Amino acid sequence: MSEHELVTRLRNGERRALARAISLVEQGGPAARAVMAAAYPYAHAHRVGITGPPGAGKSTLVTSLAQEWRRRGAPVGIVAVDPSSPFSGGAVLGDRIRMQALGGDPGVFIRSMASRGRMGGLARATADAVSLIAAAGFPIVIIETVGAGQDEVDIAQTADTTIVVEVPGMGDDVQSIKAGMLEIADIFVVNKADRPGVDQTVRQLRTMLQLGGAPADGWSPPVLTAIATTGEGCAQIVDAVEQHWQHLANDGVQASRMRALAERELAAAVQELILERLRGPRWEELVGEIASRWRDPYAAASELLGG
């Protein structure tokens, strides 16, 4: 089928068409660009990013939050960025396994994507996959990052609302500062709140937020607690996410965020197209010259670009 027909089908609720479209954008190339061109005008959704250190219970929290949104009648799309297999390069699918409780719900769509070693916690095609899910009629799209820790800041440039998940007793009381999470969080969630030390973790996060000064956009990130395995606290988290969305709309912050996202997407598209067009016989020759130290990478790049 044509790319326009594929997008028409996914907009009509065909899950196989949506899955096929996401596979196309993961592969890249002209077909992927045609799909995105057809779907992009309809890609309206609240993108909720969830990040945090490994072992924080992000996948379980995503499941509980999705269930809470479903109780409120909202369809939910989920993009879970898993670590890559060292053998096949595909997603390990650990997140997908943990979300089996959502598998029978027709109002939930889950897609696992391999990070393929990408720093920043997101796969290259994550933003495109989110746009396709939004175009398919999902008003809430949750993006869960790999869980690699200090490099997971790309999510703040992709999501409208970023949730940073922490847990008590991790052995590092300043992990949030080290990871740069303090700056990207719109909401803090201390998960596994039935563990000892939860009150101390909450106090430390609130103290760090106070020391950070007044937020530039006027939003003060709340620090909430949850027990994702039982769903405790998830209703309050969803309320906070919706309040943040309302804040973005009322204060005009959303427009500046959308412009920043557009600039990032444009830069990524330019980079991808340039690499695609420049790869050829001369590219391979220059790679060999660089490997043999006969030519440096900057001189080779300048030649490819006609400089």
Side-chain angles (χ1 to χ4, degrees):
M1 70 182 77
S2 69
E3 288 79 12
H4 283 278
E5 183 181 357
L6 186 65
V7 171
T8 299
R9 289 189 175 188
L10 73 85
R11 291 192 63 224
N12 288 333
E14 293 189 25
R15 298 299 184 84
R16 292 184 64 182
L18 175 56
R20 173 59 179 158
I22 294 175
S23 295
L24 281 176
V25 300
E26 286 187 293
Q27 294 167 12
R33 293 193 288 273
V35 166
M36 287 306 301
Y40 206 77
Y42 310 103
H44 302 290
H46 186 180
R47 298 159 297 178
V48 181
I50 297 185
T51 188
K58 296 188 297 298
S59 297
T60 307
L61 183 63
V62 167
T63 301
S64 294
L65 292 177
Q67 290 172 331
E68 176 62 29
W69 263 302
R70 292 298 295 132
R71 281 190 287 271
R72 301 184 185 199
V76 179
I78 299 171
V79 177
V81 184
D82 277 317
S84 299
S85 164
F87 303 104
S88 67
V92 175
L93 301 181
D95 292 332
R96 193 81 171 261
I97 293 171
R98 296 185 186 95
M99 296 179 191
Q100 287 183 357
L102 301 172
D105 189 339
V108 177
F109 178 85
I110 305 173
R111 179 69 178 222
S112 291
M113 304 183 72
S115 63
R116 304 189 188 277
R118 169 82 178 264
M119 303 296 280
L122 298 181
R124 179 191 60 82
T126 300
D128 288 348
V130 170
S131 294
L132 290 172
I133 294 171
F138 291 88
I140 304 293
V141 183
I142 302 174
I143 312 159
E144 181 194 346
T145 67
V146 173
Q150 296 185 15
D151 297 304
E152 300 210 0
V153 294
D154 280 0
I155 188 64
Q157 298 175 308
T158 303
D160 301 301
T161 302
T162 302
I163 299 174
V164 172
V165 185
E166 297 285 348
V167 288
M170 288 292 284
D172 189 346
D173 293 338
V174 292
Q175 178 66 24
S176 294
I177 292 180
K178 285 174 55 182
M181 298 298 185
L182 194 66
E183 290 78 16
I184 70 169
D186 297 306
I187 299 167
F188 277 103
V189 172
V190 181
N191 192 25
K192 304 183 181 181
D194 50 347
R195 285 185 175 183
V198 62
D199 292 335
Q200 180 182 1
T201 302
V202 169
R203 283 196 304 270
Q204 288 171 341
L205 286 171
R206 287 175 176 165
T207 299
M208 287 188 289
L209 288 169
Q210 291 173 358
L211 293 174
D217 64 357
W219 172 263
S220 298
V223 181
L224 307 175
T225 60
I227 304 175
T229 52
T230 65
E232 183 177 330
C234 288
Q236 290 75 19
I237 297 170
V238 169
D239 288 341
V241 170
E242 294 179 352
Q243 289 166 10
H244 182 253
W245 180 247
Q246 194 65 40
H247 164 79
L248 293 178
N250 291 342
D251 289 24
V253 180
Q254 182 71 350
S256 61
R257 287 199 176 196
M258 290 300 294
R259 185 173 180 84
L261 174 61
E263 184 171 359
R264 181 170 177 264
E265 289 181 333
L266 176 60
V270 168
Q271 182 182 33
E272 183 175 336
L273 282 173
I274 288 175
L275 286 173
E276 184 178 308
R277 292 176 181 178
L278 292 180
R279 287 183 186 273
R282 185 53 182 154
W283 176 282
E284 298 301 327
E285 292 174 3
L286 289 171
V287 168
E289 292 175 7
I290 294 169
S292 64
R293 296 296 190 270
W294 188 80
R295 187 187 295 264
D296 70 274
Y298 290 101
S302 180
E303 178 184 325
L304 283 172
L305 295 172

